[in-house]
Amino acid sequence: MAQLLPLEKEISDIFAKFPAFPDNIKEILVKISPYLCILGVIFGGLALLAAFGLGIGVSAIGAAAYGGMGIYWISMLFLAAMVALEAMAISPLMKRQKKGWDYLYYIFLLSLVNGVISIFGSFSGGIFSLILTFVIGGWVLFQTREKYL
């Protein structure tokens, strides 16, 4: 068996207790995952362009007004890392390689860390968003893991 990623066993144990998806649903998710990554790269890239270009004058001022300027830029760095990982995941996901799933797992972890940081920035809905990211994102991610092993 391949070496496990950081916290993979612990998180996997949590989602092992969740109901399993039917095999045909897992197949559909595996088939569309590279295309979802392509969409993530496109929309994430546009968001980064907006944040670092046009958005500097608009969204950064809004973030500063609520005292979340540092959190805003940290979130943008996390977004840049997640977009890069999504771009790297596309080819391995199309080939159903474990490396593609690993990239998705790292994106999942980064989104959780970003969610925790956002809570400290007092953005509304941060806890709810963090819980949804963990439960839904993790459940889907770990349901498809077997298709990449």
Side-chain angles (χ1 to χ4, degrees), residues 7 10 15 19 106 114:
L7 299 173
E10 293 81 3
F15 291 108
Y106 286 125
N114 189 34

Side-chain angles (χ1 to χ4, degrees), residues 18-98:
F18 280 53
F21 292 171
D23 198 50
N24 61 337
I25 299 296
K26 291 178 187 180
E27 277 298 318
I28 291 169
L29 290 170
V30 168
K31 286 179 184 176
I32 66 170
S33 64
Y35 303 104
L36 293 175
C37 280
I38 291 170
L39 286 175
V41 169
I42 291 169
F43 290 118
L46 290 173
L48 287 170
L49 286 175
F52 292 117
L54 176 66
I56 286 176
V58 180
S59 58
I61 291 171
Y66 291 102
M69 195 62 185
I71 301 298
Y72 172 81
W73 289 112
I74 290 170
S75 291
M76 290 301 107
L77 290 174
F78 274 93
L79 177 61
M82 289 188 284
V83 167
L85 285 169
E86 281 181 325
M88 293 178 353
I90 294 168
S91 178
L93 286 173
M94 286 194 175
K95 298 173 188 169
R96 290 192 180 202
Q97 295 175 337
K98 172 75 164 64

